[in-house]
Amino acid sequence: MKIAVLVSGNGSNLQSIIDHVTQGKIPGEICLVLSNVVGAYGLERAQQAGIATEILASKDSGLSREEYDIELDKVLAKYEPDLIVLAGFMRILSYAFVKQYEGKMINIHPSLLPKYKGLHTHQRALENKDTEHGVSVHFVTAELDGGPVILQAKVPIFAEDDETILAERVQQQEHVIYPLVVKWFVEKRLTMSDGAAFLDNALLPAKGYA
Ligand code: GAR
């Protein structure tokens, strides 16, 4: 199976997936790393691993969201991916694009969805004095951060935490659960049907994994 990973920044989740592929833990191939940001460090990580990269700059492109996504689709189509992995790809995707890849596109979001959709999730969890926080991997649907959840990992929030420490704690879990979900998909164990996610035909999110 061919995997395309879309990034906008550091690419630490990309790195974790690269490492799992390299170690043979994910039986697939990363066919492309694409970024909408020129100079995103994720591109360098891909190049160091010998993976093809593409840049489709969104800043000052003059394109509407729909027009950008048509260009994005043209680039992706060249690589014929079976799975699209959004790994810190900080763009909202158009309805048509999402529909086209529904069931084949996953995202990682730094909160325990359905809590804290959108941005600044760590800050919001701290401001609300939550005692736990976490990360979710979900199929991408037309509703922003609203697609069916596949897997979540929880972390505690301690009284002395700041945003940086909490983000680090969450990211450690991201690097564990995202490769696991990619592995499930590549093994053809993970599907989306009627707006729900299934692993080995059992309804997700699963309890007791990760
Ligand atoms: C991750 O923490 C991911 O959960 C978040 O961006 C970060 C990317 O880090 N994604 C979102 O906020 C999506 N709404 P990385 O570039 O080091 O993988």
Side-chain angles (χ1 to χ4, degrees):
M1 271 213 196
K2 292 202 245 173
I3 306 160
V5 185
L6 275 50
V7 300
S8 298
N10 177 24
S12 68
N13 280 286
L14 163 69
Q15 187 67 57
S16 178
I17 294 166
I18 290 174
D19 293 346
H20 281 73
V21 169
T22 308
Q23 292 161 19
K25 292 179 185 161
I26 295 175
E29 173 210 346
I30 303 176
C31 59
L32 169 69
V33 171
L34 181 145
S35 182
N36 65 315
V37 176
V38 178
Y41 186 60
L43 291 166
E44 200 170 313
R45 293 180 190 270
Q47 280 153 10
Q48 278 168 13
I51 299 166
T53 58
E54 299 265 7
I55 301 169
L56 190 58
S58 50
K59 194 165 173 255
D60 303 326
S61 73
L63 300 175
S64 69
R65 189 171 303 288
E66 286 72 22
E67 287 165 346
Y68 179 91
D69 286 357
I70 289 168
E71 295 308 310
L72 178 60
D73 185 40
K74 279 187 202 161
V75 177
L76 283 171
K78 288 196 289 180
Y79 294 85
E80 300 181 324
D82 302 294
L83 171 66
I84 296 177
V85 174
L86 306 181
F89 187 65
M90 303 308 275
R91 273 187 70 81
I92 294 173
L93 295 160
S94 61
Y95 181 82
F97 185 89
V98 169
K99 277 284 156 203
Q100 185 179 344
Y101 288 102
E102 211 165 68
K104 291 172 61 177
M105 181 157 60
I106 56 177
N107 181 43
I108 192 157
H109 182 77
S111 77
L112 293 172
L113 289 171
K115 259 193 157 178
Y116 308 133
K117 296 175 179 178
L119 298 174
H120 310 302
T121 58
H122 309 307
Q123 188 191 325
R124 286 151 73 199
L126 288 169
E127 279 169 5
N128 284 340
K129 306 220 176 317
D130 290 353
T131 53
E132 62 179 21
H133 186 43
V135 54
S136 307
V137 176
H138 65 95
F139 278 112
V140 177
T141 61
E143 191 197 337
L144 179 69
D145 298 328
V149 170
I150 300 164
L151 184 60
Q152 295 183 314
K154 276 184 194 171
V155 300
I157 299 182
F158 301 111
E160 62 276 18
D161 280 352
D162 60 19
E163 231 182 292
T164 310
I165 286 177
L166 184 55
E168 274 173 22
R169 196 175 301 132
V170 169
Q171 277 232 316
Q172 278 183 7
Q173 297 304 315
E174 296 191 358
H175 301 160
V176 176
I177 71 168
Y178 216 6
L180 181 59
V181 171
V182 171
K183 172 177 141 62
W184 287 343
F185 190 93
V186 170
E187 291 173 342
K188 297 195 163 97
R189 296 171 59 195
L190 186 63
T191 49
M192 183 179 139
S193 156
D194 291 335
F198 296 85
L199 175 66
D200 299 332
N201 298 317
L203 186 62
L204 289 167
K207 300 260 181 288
Y209 278 96

